[in-house]
Amino acid sequence: MYEDHYGLSGRPFALTPDPRFWFDTATHRKAMAYLGYGLAQGEGFIVITGDVGAGKTTLVGHLMDTLDATRLHVIKIVSTQIEADDLLRMVAGGLDVDSDGLTKAQLLVAIERGLHATARTGRRTLLIVDEAQALPVSSLEELRMLSNFQTGGHALLQIFLLGQPEFRERLHGSDRLEQLRQRVIAMHHLDPMEREEVEPYMRHRLGVVGWEGRPHFTPDAFTAFYAGSDGVPRRLNQLAGRVLLYGAIEQLDTIDGRAVATVVADIAGDMPGVRPITVPAFVAEPAPGPEPEVAAEPEAVAETFAPEPEPQAEPLPEPEPEPKPEPEPEAEAPRPLPIAHIPPPAEPRPIRLTRPEPVDMVSPPPMPEPVATVDAAPEPEPVTEPEPVAEPEPVVAPEPVQDDLATRIAALEARVDEQDVALRRVLTLLVDWAEGEQTPDTAAQAAEG
């Protein structure tokens, strides 16, 4: 029913063992390693035990699918308290030996001949006995006797015994089985799946039947599946099948922990051995609802048991009077620059001839103004202007300043004289050039010289 609702091609969680759904859990992978080791040895007994529903039969089915039938002849027996004689007849049937009317001695001879006949075809014989815990000790002893058949130093028969945990206890607790114990070359117990293996296990089985994400399973649903099955494969399959049926009936497209817990409670009502799951434990954690209550209780306790005013609330060092940002060197009130740093007054730049235009050449620009002021009388007026800048400089004495000014004035006068001579030379050259006595290049060279 639920297959059609969710668009699946089959039932992914059927209880009948199906090798198609084989999933390598850690414990099953180890069991397969032991079985492979036993096949490589080609002799003795290998014992695999596990709880009901642990996957022993599925393990055998997977093993049979991986064996090469051209190299190994397999006889499989599912025992239900089979007595020794009946067990021998079942083995004979697996070897295509007619056991009707044969005595036990004749039956053993017939079985040995059958094993030799199989060996001549290039194959070994493997006997797998499931539910071995139901075999009486006499039957187990007959199996041990069959393992003695050999040819050319090689055993003709190898035996795998699978059973529930009590079979291991019988094997180790009976003195009558000591010889069989000594022939066991490997033994492994299948454990339930781990919590983290449940999700990949279910996704694998769903994928085999075409699952494409519908229904969607929430993380807490897988947690609930593990809690409801204890990781036992068969119980997990049973629970998952019921949950999918419940989802189809309720038209659910998302399976969460609450849905799984609801089905577990329903199964627990029919099967006393199943314990229900507490639903709230798997509901998506309710949004921060209960948090306020939890937060309120600690406050009340603090008032009762901690009269100390807000423990360590005071220690908050009074925001250290924000270390008054060290009076940022008050942008050091612009100190009066020492006289040495005062930029000298704009001195007249030396005149460079940059090839004047013809018109200007004839009537040179009125440059005499600076010359006239110097010639007139180099009075301290233009030079005394910088004096006010040398504001309060207590160290400056009046006499040295006058000497400094006098020196500057003398320098300026000398420079003005030089400029006057240069200007006159330029004017002379310009006049000569205008009259055609010299070429412009010659005039320029003469000026620079």
Side-chain angles (χ1 to χ4, degrees), residues 93-370:
L95 293 170
D96 296 329
V97 173
D98 185 5
S99 60
D100 291 342
L102 298 180
T103 63
K104 182 177 179 180
Q106 295 172 334
L107 184 57
L108 289 173
V109 171
I111 291 175
E112 184 175 10
R113 288 176 179 172
L115 291 173
H116 278 284
T118 302
R120 283 193 293 272
T121 63
R123 297 184 299 171
R124 293 190 293 111
T125 302
L126 172 66
L127 174 62
I128 300 176
V129 181
D130 199 357
E131 301 298 338
Q133 77 281 351
L135 288 176
V137 175
S138 59
S139 296
L140 291 173
E141 276 295 300
E142 289 297 342
L143 290 177
R144 181 184 65 79
M145 293 299 297
L146 291 178
S147 67
N148 289 330
F149 292 145
Q150 55 182 300
T151 180
H154 298 285
L156 293 172
L157 180 67
Q158 185 173 22
I159 303 173
F160 285 176
L161 299 177
L162 296 97
Q164 296 178 15
E166 53 266 31
F167 177 63
R168 172 179 287 203
E169 296 173 3
R170 282 183 58 199
L171 195 59
H172 290 296
S174 175
D175 294 336
R176 295 176 58 187
L177 298 176
E178 175 61 28
Q179 294 186 21
L180 188 150
R181 274 199 304 273
Q182 293 180 3
R183 299 191 181 206
V184 175
I185 61 175
M187 182 180 293
H188 177 66
H189 179 74
L190 290 174
D191 296 313
M193 286 184 287
E194 298 294 337
R195 184 186 301 272
E196 61 274 10
E197 292 177 322
V198 170
E199 180 176 353
Y201 171 83
M202 293 184 62
R203 288 183 179 277
H204 167 71
R205 296 185 72 101
L206 286 164
V208 172
V209 294
W211 177 65
E212 296 181 350
R214 181 173 177 270
H216 169 70
F217 294 87
T218 62
D220 66 320
F222 293 114
T223 303
F225 275 120
Y226 177 79
S229 65
D230 292 326
V232 178
R234 184 180 300 166
R235 290 172 57 183
L236 178 57
N237 290 348
Q238 180 185 34
L239 175 58
R242 290 283 293 270
V243 169
L244 287 177
L245 177 60
Y246 171 79
I249 295 173
E250 298 295 330
Q251 302 290 307
L252 299 178
D253 285 334
T254 297
I255 304 297
D256 57 11
R258 181 181 293 278
V260 178
T262 300
V263 174
V264 171
D266 187 30
I267 295 177
D270 301 332
M271 303 173 64
V274 178
R275 65 179 185 281
I277 303 174
T278 304
V279 177
F282 303 102
V283 178
E285 298 179 356
E291 289 184 0
E293 299 179 0
V294 177
E297 293 180 4
E299 293 181 2
V301 175
E303 294 178 1
T304 306
F305 299 100
E308 302 175 3
E310 299 181 356
Q312 297 185 351
E314 297 179 347
L316 289 175
E318 300 176 351
E320 297 177 349
E322 298 177 349
K324 296 178 181 178
E326 297 177 352
E328 298 173 345
E330 298 179 349
E332 293 182 348
R335 296 180 183 177
L337 295 174
I339 295 179
H341 291 186
I342 299 177
E347 300 176 356
R349 299 179 180 178
I351 299 174
R352 290 186 182 181
L353 185 59
T354 58
R355 190 158 185 165
E357 298 180 359
V359 178
D360 296 332
M361 297 285 185
V362 179
S363 57
M367 292 293 291
E369 290 183 7

Side-chain angles (χ1 to χ4, degrees), residues 9 29 104 119 125 177 236 257 269 304 329 375 408 416 418 437:
S9 61
R29 186 164 51 250
K104 182 177 179 180
T125 302
L177 298 176
L236 178 57
T304 306
D375 286 338
R408 287 192 179 188
V416 169
E418 293 176 0
E437 294 182 4

